[in-house]
Amino acid sequence: MDAFPDPPEVPLDLAVRIGCKLQYETSAETSMLLNLKPRHDAYQFIADEHSAITPAVPTTEFDDDHNNHVLRLSLHPGLSTIEYDAIVNVPSQSEDFAHLDEPHSPQRLPANLLRYTLPSRYCDSDNLRDFAWQHFGQQRQGIERVQAICNWLNKNIEYRTGSGNAEIAAKDVIGRGYGVCRDFAHCGVALCRTFNLPARYVSGYVPDIACFDPGTPMDFHAYFEVYMGGRWQVFDARFNTPRTGRIRISTGYDASSCAFSTFYGAAELRWFEVWSYQVDPATTRVGDPLDLSKRLCGTPEIRRPGEAPTEMASAA
Amino acid sequence: MDAFPDPPEVPLDLAVRIGCKLQYETSAETSMLLNLKPRHDAYQFIADEHSAITPAVPTTEFDDDHNNHVLRLSLHPGLSTIEYDAIVNVPSQSEDFAHLDEPHSPQRLPANLLRYTLPSRYCDSDNLRDFAWQHFGQQRQGIERVQAICNWLNKNIEYRTGSGNAEIAAKDVIGRGYGVCRDFAHCGVALCRTFNLPARYVSGYVPDIACFDPGTPMDFHAYFEVYMGGRWQVFDARFNTPRTGRIRISTGYDASSCAFSTFYGAAELRWFEVWSYQVDPATTRVGDPLDLSKRLCGTPEIRRPGEAPTEMASAA
Amino acid sequence: MDAFPDPPEVPLDLAVRIGCKLQYETSAETSMLLNLKPRHDAYQFIADEHSAITPAVPTTEFDDDHNNHVLRLSLHPGLSTIEYDAIVNVPSQSEDFAHLDEPHSPQRLPANLLRYTLPSRYCDSDNLRDFAWQHFGQQRQGIERVQAICNWLNKNIEYRTGSGNAEIAAKDVIGRGYGVCRDFAHCGVALCRTFNLPARYVSGYVPDIACFDPGTPMDFHAYFEVYMGGRWQVFDARFNTPRTGRIRISTGYDASSCAFSTFYGAAELRWFEVWSYQVDPATTRVGDPLDLSKRLCGTPEIRRPGEAPTEMASAA
Amino acid sequence: MDAFPDPPEVPLDLAVRIGCKLQYETSAETSMLLNLKPRHDAYQFIADEHSAITPAVPTTEFDDDHNNHVLRLSLHPGLSTIEYDAIVNVPSQSEDFAHLDEPHSPQRLPANLLRYTLPSRYCDSDNLRDFAWQHFGQQRQGIERVQAICNWLNKNIEYRTGSGNAEIAAKDVIGRGYGVCRDFAHCGVALCRTFNLPARYVSGYVPDIACFDPGTPMDFHAYFEVYMGGRWQVFDARFNTPRTGRIRISTGYDASSCAFSTFYGAAELRWFEVWSYQVDPATTRVGDPLDLSKRLCGTPEIRRPGEAPTEMASAA
């Protein structure tokens, strides 16, 4: 007999192409860290990966203290291009199938998860205690409460493109009433922590599977996870509806743990492109040129590999 | 041949009694974490320790991700007393004997120390970059620059008892111009990090060896360490003079990593007492009642065990 | 709701004094590691500790990869004395109260425990697979099987004082039919691993609480633990009866992970003394001279602190 | 100024295709671990990777305590195929360019490397102490001694195909006088450890760059590394000549830390194929069928990408 029921085993029957291309210009040898690579877990199998740094420089890798994969390198002066491209197998089932409503008391949490119950720079739960108890104190501890938090944020915080700001924490976001996905995630994390629910910030890719393409440029997306029932469970106050095919890159206290790049010195970003869309792995390989005509997602229904690509990739 | 010259081996010829007594009142079973216990290192040998929690409850220990020793327990409702008492051997030489002026380039730092170069909640180095380069950009990287930072803080930030505030970060402290030891430490850490010097916050004990007793109640003290020459080196912008017998308890990003107690639920602090003074280990044992008449420190000259205790323990 | 029922909370109502005195003679500066210090857990609270190394040398500490506490130092040439003395609070209830018969399938074990299912130098489970299935294949997986293993070893392996030998592994022990406590532990661990039960070797102290004093010199004792029901559970094929007041020092793959001392160079052991006996903490303090007339254990009944010490400490 | 001179930065100007195909037949759901994936370091950049498990099953990954990448899964009953394919950029310079003759004293080693100085199951340095001092006691500590060990093993141990045996340790190998690459590695590691040189076993790929193809089937290869001058340095007592393009997969105490597969239950190996050969990345992609006509290595001279493939791939 085992502790918690295993998350149900579901087939990873869809393939998502994810990746990014970054170009930086530096005027001197510049050390940097890259945090771009997702890891295998029960719902994301990294089938193919391509990495390139041009011009080539020596790289080493290490795992940071949130178990993110970090590549460490030093760019030569001039223009450098960093490419990461992957095909990841994911389930066609929407992500809430893995939810389990079993909150833990703090006393029973694994010791290494206690840190995710404490305030952090952008998830300043200590500053939100009264607010949280006033708004969510009535809810039952567990998914009901987490969902109430997501609902409140989704309804009361306006999504405002371009309002991102590295100085504001969850309390400020709630105070000003608008933000970007990072801010929604910070608020969700902070409010869960006020109830001693371990919560962590996540940076990942969210393809538009079973959704209309919003027509905006693809980008990384921030959301959060709450630890209940012996597993980390996905929540997203920004979209606030279970998605299909989400792929986690990195996790941590808050956005400060999940920067995709960190520089020791000055670097100008000259190109920034992110992709995340469903493909047929029989016809798309990593390293191929991006070809959105092969995109299988962006429509309300899920298309299987082998089915014809979406005619209208954009909601426009 | 080895990389960096070893820190000089010096005799640990003095003994310091350190410890604290904390009383909390709780109205329900309340989980908590305690972070009170120093560790052996080349300049602090924990000769004797006494720990007591009354009423007794089960405890477990773990090391947090900054390698601090954490005791985990759940207090029963009512009044609980926590006592920690230790005798620690320390050198009579002042702490700067271990300084080595060899800053590392970021590219050569051990991977697990890179995190100490990044901004954190209270050490918001990203917000101080311009300030730092304007004030300390001319100094040579290494001890000269770190010392310039300490000098500036010591001269320009007023020490104001009771001004501690869990909401303000280094930039705010510099803005308002006053603070407590925690704030001096946050500023020192943040400013070093703007120059890619790994810096960490430290909570510890600082006995008044080779100093007049300031006459204020003994307390924990916050200061900071900078990693150069393959070792962590002590700096203290508050006192800004090398001390003797300092004992490190915990380290981390900033004060948020070094709380001596963390509660999951409400607890009223009913008693708070900290001690840190030089003793003769032949006549003082852990668990003994506190007896400041046996104190050997509090005078400008260092007294050895066996010499008569200080007549006047206070500067008053 | 939580996964496994918590181990029952029981009062730590007895106090055991444990410790050792080691003397080494070296002809040159000699690096060494010491692994002597138990840690707090739910059934052992380290109330008082005394450590001394004479002549004093710098020491640092680290946790090894089995989470043992290791003290690192370099002895000066000549005679060095190492003393460790502690008073540890333990329950008067016998240790099997924490048993829980819930074996895990390998697929559900925490990733960091998988290594305890694999063969190791002295616990060569791969060489015992046929033997194990032949002898214990019929038993139900879990405590029934582990107990059958202990029973078989206790009955079929002769305890032979002085037969310890750093070259023989579990298979050899079973082949020759005799051994010391270390060998019993190696066999227990190896046989459990053949059934994919995570098992680890333990070095600790076993006072004679609720037992006649066997009259032999006190020593460290080796036994083992099996991970079931979300917790490590004690078994001891040598004594094969639940004990009271056992105190774990170190754990690992096998004896090679749990050496109390490791030398880089030659050292002659000149004195070796171990103690482990129940005391009244009101009348015995760490650092006191050993005084076995104050011993409370060594009799079939348990004596509480405050009751008169045992008149006859030896079974002779 | 930094501690040790950086390993020279050299261009990773060659590309090696490595990988394996494994088929297992199981009669029941069978948990397993896979340890196949190399990591980025300064001399191996993983440009492309392809992984497949057929039929697909959920997988998770973790790092074991030697920092190897482990994939954890449970095979369904029947036939399962595991494929890993990668293109790795490596330098054309032979591996000894990174050697640095700076042995560390044990006292100055990083704490987490001390374990690589101790005996392990197959690297039983404790049993070889007399032998080692007798044969290599005269050599200077450092590369001279390590090279003397390799020379002795290469000359005195006969390579005998098919003589691999999971029961024999270094002492046995030296006693019987023959072995496979695993045995050469175990002996090298064990003998270095007798001199307190941290040494670890490595499993990796060794393409035949700048070598005639020996004509034997490609396979994983075992060799070892010694920690000197602040870096792990490659040695290989079997080939005993610096190679080009070696790619490390996993490291550890000995072969027991580096198994490419570990089963919890029975599994029949039905197919085993390993590849490791230089390619032109412009014409070879991961996931392509194996096509040795595109092989660039197997000749004494190094061919650059773009040059014609080797006509005669075999020494025969």
Side-chain angles (χ1 to χ4, degrees):
Chain A
M1 198 207 78
D2 273 302
F4 296 105
D6 254 328
E9 183 180 330
V10 292
L12 307 188
D13 47 355
L14 304 184
V16 177
R17 182 179 186 179
I18 57 167
C20 60
K21 180 175 175 179
L22 311 170
Q23 277 187 325
Y24 294 100
E25 188 159 356
T26 55
S27 56
E29 189 80 14
T30 306
S31 286
M32 73 172 301
L33 308 176
L34 284 166
N35 183 354
L36 294 174
K37 191 187 148 7
R39 292 180 173 282
H40 292 280
D41 72 29
Y43 305 122
Q44 55 188 50
F45 181 85
I46 321 301
D48 291 275
E49 284 182 286
H50 169 72
S51 304
I53 297 166
T54 316
V57 291
T59 66
T60 55
E61 67 173 70
F62 68 93
D63 294 341
D64 71 17
D65 55 337
H66 299 278
N67 201 30
N68 299 313
H69 179 278
V70 184
L71 207 60
R72 183 179 182 179
L73 53 143
S74 189
L75 298 182
H76 292 321
L79 192 69
S80 293
T81 306
I82 293 159
E83 287 167 287
Y84 178 78
D85 194 17
I87 290 180
V88 180
N89 300 337
V90 298
S92 59
Q93 211 165 329
S94 84
E95 64 204 8
D96 51 340
F97 77 89
H99 280 186
L100 181 64
D101 191 10
E102 302 280 6
H104 302 266
S105 62
Q107 186 65 10
R108 297 298 311 281
L109 286 170
N112 61 334
L113 299 186
L114 288 170
R115 57 184 179 153
Y116 295 110
T117 62
L118 303 177
S120 67
R121 185 176 190 186
Y122 297 118
C123 301
D124 54 337
S125 47
D126 45 351
N127 295 330
L128 285 169
R129 208 159 285 152
D130 292 344
F131 175 87
W133 279 94
Q134 196 181 322
H135 286 76
F136 313 107
Q138 309 305 323
Q139 266 74 31
R140 203 169 45 75
Q141 176 80 330
I143 287 182
E144 180 181 314
R145 182 170 272 159
V146 178
Q147 194 54 62
I149 289 169
C150 290
N151 293 346
W152 189 94
L153 291 170
N154 187 264
K155 189 172 158 201
N156 292 281
I157 305 295
E158 178 200 346
Y159 183 85
R160 196 176 292 181
T161 307
S163 69
N165 173 342
E167 292 199 29
I168 70 169
K171 190 190 173 189
D172 308 314
V173 174
I174 288 175
R176 73 178 196 179
Y178 62 88
V180 293
C181 61
R182 155 192 170 113
D183 299 310
F184 284 80
H186 284 155
C187 292
V189 167
L191 290 168
C192 286
R193 289 183 187 163
T194 63
F195 297 104
N196 296 334
L197 290 165
R200 63 183 187 185
Y201 183 94
V202 186
S203 174
Y205 296 96
V206 187
D208 295 310
I209 299 177
C211 295
F212 278 115
D213 176 352
T216 50
M218 295 181 192
D219 201 348
F220 299 117
H221 181 61
Y223 49 98
F224 71 108
E225 292 180 339
V226 182
Y227 189 83
M228 295 180 287
R231 63 182 84 147
W232 286 105
Q233 306 185 20
V234 175
F235 292 89
D236 185 337
R238 157 73 172 109
F239 291 136
N240 204 26
T241 184
R243 298 288 295 235
T244 295
R246 205 187 283 263
I247 293 162
R248 183 201 300 114
I249 305 170
S250 58
T251 62
Y253 292 125
D254 53 36
S256 66
S257 314
C258 299
F260 62 84
S261 69
T262 302
F263 281 91
Y264 291 93
E268 290 295 320
L269 181 63
R270 295 292 182 214
W271 185 265
F272 176 80
E273 188 181 10
V274 173
W275 51 91
S276 165
Y277 61 100
Q278 191 195 345
V279 297
D280 182 341
T283 61
T284 299
R285 296 173 73 178
V286 292
D288 283 349
L290 280 189
D291 178 358
L292 291 179
S293 75
K294 293 184 169 179
R295 179 182 191 177
L296 291 180
C297 61
T299 56
E301 72 285 1
I302 293 178
R303 295 181 188 238
R304 306 278 153 182
E307 297 183 26
T310 304
E311 300 255 327
M312 273 196 42
S314 162
Chain B
M1 199 208 77
D2 274 302
F4 296 106
D6 254 329
E9 184 180 330
V10 292
L12 308 188
D13 48 354
L14 304 184
V16 176
R17 183 180 186 178
I18 56 165
C20 61
K21 180 176 176 178
L22 311 169
Q23 278 188 325
Y24 294 101
E25 188 159 357
T26 55
S27 57
E29 191 80 15
T30 305
S31 285
M32 74 172 300
L33 308 176
L34 284 166
N35 183 354
L36 294 173
K37 191 185 150 8
R39 292 181 173 282
H40 292 280
D41 72 29
Y43 305 122
Q44 56 187 50
F45 181 84
I46 322 300
D48 292 275
E49 284 183 285
H50 169 72
S51 304
I53 296 166
T54 317
V57 292
T59 66
T60 55
E61 67 174 70
F62 68 94
D63 293 342
D64 70 18
D65 54 338
H66 298 279
N67 201 29
N68 299 312
H69 178 278
V70 183
L71 207 60
R72 182 178 182 180
L73 55 142
S74 189
L75 298 182
H76 293 320
L79 193 68
S80 293
T81 306
I82 293 160
E83 287 167 287
Y84 178 77
D85 194 17
I87 291 180
V88 180
N89 300 338
V90 297
S92 59
Q93 212 164 328
S94 85
E95 62 204 9
D96 51 340
F97 76 90
H99 281 188
L100 180 64
D101 192 11
E102 301 281 6
H104 303 266
S105 62
Q107 187 66 8
R108 297 299 309 280
L109 285 170
N112 61 334
L113 299 186
L114 288 171
R115 57 183 179 155
Y116 295 110
T117 61
L118 303 177
S120 67
R121 185 178 191 184
Y122 297 118
C123 300
D124 53 339
S125 47
D126 45 352
N127 295 329
L128 286 168
R129 208 159 285 152
D130 292 344
F131 175 88
W133 279 93
Q134 195 180 323
H135 286 76
F136 314 107
Q138 308 307 321
Q139 265 76 30
R140 202 169 45 77
Q141 175 81 329
I143 286 183
E144 180 183 315
R145 181 172 272 160
V146 178
Q147 194 54 59
I149 290 170
C150 289
N151 293 346
W152 189 94
L153 292 170
N154 187 263
K155 187 171 160 201
N156 293 282
I157 306 294
E158 177 200 346
Y159 184 85
R160 196 176 293 180
T161 309
S163 69
N165 173 343
E167 294 198 28
I168 69 170
K171 189 191 173 189
D172 308 315
V173 173
I174 288 174
R176 73 178 196 180
Y178 62 88
V180 293
C181 61
R182 155 192 171 113
D183 299 311
F184 284 81
H186 285 154
C187 293
V189 168
L191 291 168
C192 286
R193 289 183 187 164
T194 62
F195 297 103
N196 296 334
L197 291 165
R200 63 183 187 185
Y201 183 93
V202 186
S203 174
Y205 296 96
V206 187
D208 296 310
I209 299 178
C211 296
F212 278 114
D213 176 352
T216 51
M218 295 180 192
D219 202 348
F220 299 117
H221 181 62
Y223 50 98
F224 72 108
E225 291 180 341
V226 182
Y227 189 83
M228 295 180 288
R231 63 183 83 150
W232 286 105
Q233 306 186 20
V234 176
F235 292 89
D236 185 336
R238 157 74 172 110
F239 290 136
N240 204 27
T241 185
R243 299 288 296 235
T244 296
R246 206 188 284 262
I247 293 162
R248 183 200 301 115
I249 305 170
S250 58
T251 62
Y253 291 125
D254 53 35
S256 66
S257 314
C258 298
F260 62 84
S261 69
T262 301
F263 281 92
Y264 291 92
E268 290 294 321
L269 181 62
R270 295 293 182 213
W271 185 266
F272 175 80
E273 188 180 9
V274 173
W275 53 90
S276 166
Y277 61 100
Q278 192 197 345
V279 297
D280 182 341
T283 61
T284 298
R285 298 173 72 177
V286 292
D288 282 350
L290 281 188
D291 178 359
L292 292 179
S293 76
K294 293 183 168 179
R295 179 181 191 175
L296 289 180
C297 62
T299 57
E301 72 284 3
I302 293 178
R303 295 182 187 237
R304 306 278 154 182
E307 297 183 26
T310 305
E311 300 256 326
M312 273 198 42
S314 162
Chain C
M1 199 209 76
D2 273 303
F4 296 106
D6 253 329
E9 183 180 330
V10 293
L12 307 187
D13 47 355
L14 305 183
V16 176
R17 182 181 187 178
I18 56 167
C20 60
K21 181 176 175 178
L22 311 170
Q23 278 188 326
Y24 293 101
E25 189 159 356
T26 54
S27 56
E29 190 80 15
T30 305
S31 285
M32 74 172 301
L33 308 176
L34 283 167
N35 183 353
L36 294 173
K37 190 185 149 10
R39 292 181 173 281
H40 292 280
D41 73 28
Y43 304 122
Q44 55 187 50
F45 181 84
I46 321 300
D48 292 275
E49 284 183 286
H50 170 71
S51 304
I53 296 167
T54 318
V57 291
T59 67
T60 55
E61 68 174 69
F62 68 94
D63 293 342
D64 71 18
D65 55 337
H66 299 278
N67 200 30
N68 298 312
H69 178 278
V70 183
L71 208 59
R72 182 177 182 179
L73 54 142
S74 189
L75 299 182
H76 292 321
L79 192 68
S80 292
T81 306
I82 293 159
E83 287 168 287
Y84 179 77
D85 194 18
I87 291 180
V88 181
N89 299 338
V90 298
S92 59
Q93 213 165 326
S94 85
E95 64 205 7
D96 50 340
F97 76 89
H99 280 187
L100 180 63
D101 192 10
E102 303 281 7
H104 302 265
S105 62
Q107 187 64 11
R108 297 298 311 280
L109 285 170
N112 62 335
L113 299 186
L114 287 170
R115 56 184 180 155
Y116 295 111
T117 61
L118 303 177
S120 67
R121 185 177 191 186
Y122 296 119
C123 300
D124 53 338
S125 47
D126 45 352
N127 294 330
L128 285 168
R129 209 160 283 153
D130 292 344
F131 175 87
W133 279 95
Q134 195 181 322
H135 286 76
F136 314 108
Q138 308 305 322
Q139 265 76 30
R140 201 168 47 74
Q141 175 79 329
I143 287 183
E144 180 182 315
R145 182 171 271 160
V146 179
Q147 194 54 61
I149 289 170
C150 289
N151 292 346
W152 189 94
L153 291 170
N154 187 263
K155 188 171 159 201
N156 292 281
I157 305 295
E158 179 200 345
Y159 184 85
R160 197 178 290 180
T161 309
S163 69
N165 174 341
E167 294 199 28
I168 70 170
K171 189 192 173 189
D172 308 314
V173 173
I174 288 174
R176 73 179 197 179
Y178 62 88
V180 294
C181 61
R182 154 190 170 114
D183 299 311
F184 284 81
H186 284 154
C187 293
V189 168
L191 290 167
C192 287
R193 289 184 187 163
T194 62
F195 297 104
N196 296 333
L197 291 165
R200 65 182 186 185
Y201 182 94
V202 186
S203 174
Y205 295 96
V206 187
D208 296 309
I209 299 177
C211 295
F212 278 115
D213 177 352
T216 51
M218 294 179 192
D219 201 348
F220 299 117
H221 181 62
Y223 49 97
F224 72 108
E225 291 181 340
V226 181
Y227 189 83
M228 294 181 288
R231 63 183 83 149
W232 285 104
Q233 306 186 19
V234 176
F235 292 89
D236 185 337
R238 157 73 172 109
F239 290 136
N240 204 27
T241 185
R243 297 289 296 237
T244 295
R246 204 187 286 260
I247 293 162
R248 183 200 302 115
I249 304 170
S250 59
T251 61
Y253 292 126
D254 53 35
S256 66
S257 314
C258 298
F260 62 85
S261 70
T262 301
F263 281 92
Y264 291 93
E268 290 294 320
L269 181 63
R270 294 293 182 213
W271 184 266
F272 176 80
E273 188 181 9
V274 174
W275 51 91
S276 165
Y277 61 98
Q278 192 196 345
V279 297
D280 182 341
T283 61
T284 298
R285 296 174 74 176
V286 292
D288 282 350
L290 282 188
D291 177 358
L292 292 179
S293 75
K294 292 183 170 181
R295 178 181 192 174
L296 289 179
C297 61
T299 57
E301 73 284 2
I302 293 178
R303 293 181 189 237
R304 305 279 153 181
E307 298 182 27
T310 305
E311 300 255 325
M312 273 196 44
S314 162
Chain D
M1 200 208 77
D2 273 302
F4 296 105
D6 254 327
E9 184 180 329
V10 292
L12 307 188
D13 47 355
L14 304 184
V16 177
R17 181 179 188 181
I18 56 166
C20 61
K21 180 176 176 179
L22 311 170
Q23 277 188 324
Y24 294 101
E25 188 159 358
T26 55
S27 56
E29 190 79 15
T30 305
S31 286
M32 73 172 300
L33 308 176
L34 283 166
N35 183 353
L36 295 174
K37 192 187 148 6
R39 292 181 173 283
H40 292 279
D41 71 29
Y43 305 122
Q44 55 187 51
F45 181 84
I46 322 300
D48 292 276
E49 284 183 286
H50 169 71
S51 304
I53 296 166
T54 319
V57 292
T59 66
T60 55
E61 68 174 70
F62 68 94
D63 293 342
D64 70 17
D65 54 337
H66 298 280
N67 200 30
N68 298 312
H69 178 279
V70 184
L71 208 60
R72 184 179 180 178
L73 54 141
S74 189
L75 298 182
H76 293 319
L79 193 68
S80 293
T81 306
I82 293 158
E83 286 167 287
Y84 178 78
D85 194 18
I87 290 179
V88 180
N89 300 339
V90 298
S92 59
Q93 211 164 329
S94 84
E95 64 206 8
D96 51 340
F97 76 89
H99 280 187
L100 181 63
D101 192 11
E102 301 282 6
H104 303 266
S105 63
Q107 187 65 11
R108 297 298 311 281
L109 286 169
N112 62 334
L113 298 186
L114 288 170
R115 56 184 180 153
Y116 295 110
T117 61
L118 304 177
S120 67
R121 186 179 191 185
Y122 296 118
C123 301
D124 53 338
S125 47
D126 45 353
N127 295 329
L128 285 168
R129 207 158 286 151
D130 293 345
F131 175 87
W133 279 94
Q134 196 180 322
H135 286 76
F136 314 107
Q138 309 306 322
Q139 265 76 29
R140 204 169 43 77
Q141 176 78 331
I143 287 183
E144 179 182 316
R145 182 172 270 160
V146 178
Q147 195 54 60
I149 289 170
C150 290
N151 293 346
W152 189 94
L153 291 170
N154 187 263
K155 188 171 158 201
N156 292 280
I157 305 295
E158 177 201 347
Y159 183 83
R160 195 177 292 181
T161 308
S163 70
N165 174 340
E167 293 199 27
I168 69 168
K171 189 191 173 190
D172 309 314
V173 173
I174 288 175
R176 73 178 195 179
Y178 62 88
V180 293
C181 61
R182 155 191 171 113
D183 299 311
F184 283 81
H186 285 154
C187 293
V189 168
L191 290 168
C192 286
R193 290 184 186 163
T194 62
F195 296 104
N196 296 333
L197 290 165
R200 63 183 188 185
Y201 183 94
V202 185
S203 174
Y205 295 96
V206 187
D208 295 310
I209 299 176
C211 296
F212 277 115
D213 176 351
T216 51
M218 294 179 191
D219 201 349
F220 299 117
H221 181 62
Y223 49 98
F224 72 107
E225 292 180 340
V226 182
Y227 189 84
M228 294 180 288
R231 62 183 83 148
W232 285 105
Q233 307 186 19
V234 176
F235 292 89
D236 185 336
R238 157 74 172 107
F239 291 136
N240 204 28
T241 185
R243 297 290 295 236
T244 294
R246 205 187 284 262
I247 293 163
R248 183 200 301 115
I249 305 170
S250 57
T251 61
Y253 293 125
D254 53 35
S256 66
S257 313
C258 298
F260 62 84
S261 70
T262 302
F263 282 92
Y264 291 93
E268 291 294 321
L269 181 64
R270 294 293 182 214
W271 185 266
F272 175 80
E273 188 180 8
V274 173
W275 52 90
S276 165
Y277 62 99
Q278 192 196 345
V279 296
D280 182 341
T283 60
T284 299
R285 297 174 71 176
V286 291
D288 283 349
L290 282 189
D291 177 359
L292 292 179
S293 74
K294 294 184 169 178
R295 180 181 190 176
L296 290 180
C297 61
T299 56
E301 72 284 3
I302 293 179
R303 293 179 190 240
R304 305 279 153 182
E307 298 183 26
T310 305
E311 299 258 324
M312 272 198 42
S314 162

